[in-house]
Amino acid sequence: VRRREGGASSATCPMCRGQLQMNGQRLQEFLDGEQSAQLSQDDRTYLQSISDGLCGRNSWSTMNRVEKAAYAGGLLAAASWGFVLGYTERRHRVSHALVLDTLPAEHQLAQGLGWLAGIIVSCIRQSLRDREDREDRESRERNRRC
């Protein structure tokens, strides 16, 4: 952990010597348990920040760039999925079963806003199509009269 904290990209697992990987829940259990009693305050703070990041408990101001990118990407993905659900509303009613209630509230909001945007764009597109079709019919009727 100290090598990783110092920015060393070659930190490895002491057991298997593979790439260092952490599990947020297990790390939090370790920090809450007696095994972590010997940690210095600096080490505890560092490991707690990692655990918070892995468990999604960081606020925007405490996230690093990678966490911010992942969080923003998640919001974008949720909004995009919502847009697809809204845009295809009339054709794929089954897709509502794919709405994930387990998402954080802000992701659900992004999905809902995306859904609303999809409905609006779909309605505008259909309206423009209907108008174009009506104009084509009227044009054909005028041409037949002449």
Side-chain angles (χ1 to χ4, degrees):
V1 172
R2 290 190 197 286
R3 285 176 56 194
R4 186 73 174 176
E5 182 181 13
S9 60
S10 61
T12 57
C13 172
M15 303 284 278
C16 67
R17 299 292 177 212
Q19 184 179 8
L20 185 63
Q21 298 178 10
M22 294 188 184
N23 179 297
Q25 185 177 3
R26 288 187 185 150
L27 180 56
Q28 189 59 52
E29 288 172 5
F30 168 76
L31 290 170
D32 292 340
E34 295 176 14
Q35 297 171 332
S36 66
Q38 76 281 4
L39 289 176
S40 70
Q41 189 59 37
D42 288 342
D43 288 345
R44 177 175 291 284
T45 301
Y46 176 68
L47 291 174
Q48 187 64 57
S49 72
I50 292 173
S51 174
D52 290 345
L54 292 171
C55 294
R57 292 187 298 256
N58 281 351
S59 65
W60 186 262
S61 62
T62 59
M63 290 182 193
N64 64 34
R65 285 185 191 134
V66 173
E67 290 170 327
K68 286 179 181 179
Y71 183 79
L75 288 174
L76 179 63
S80 299
W81 178 244
F83 183 87
V84 167
L85 290 176
Y87 190 78
T88 61
E89 173 73 21
R90 294 184 189 110
R91 292 175 292 224
H92 301 105
R93 295 207 182 263
V94 172
S95 60
H96 286 289
L98 300 175
V99 176
L100 301 176
D101 294 331
T102 58
L103 292 174
E106 58 271 18
H107 287 75
Q108 289 180 16
L109 177 63
Q111 183 174 353
L113 292 173
W115 175 81
L116 182 60
I119 290 276
I120 290 169
V121 169
S122 177
C123 289
I124 290 171
R125 185 168 183 246
Q126 187 61 45
S127 175
L128 291 173
R129 253 194 233 152
D130 292 346
R131 187 164 136 202
E132 189 177 291
D133 289 346
R134 188 173 50 249
E135 289 172 356
D136 285 347
R137 276 193 310 269
E138 290 171 0
S139 175
R140 280 191 303 249
E141 285 178 22
R142 276 185 293 213
N143 289 339
R144 274 191 282 169
R145 290 180 196 163
C146 296

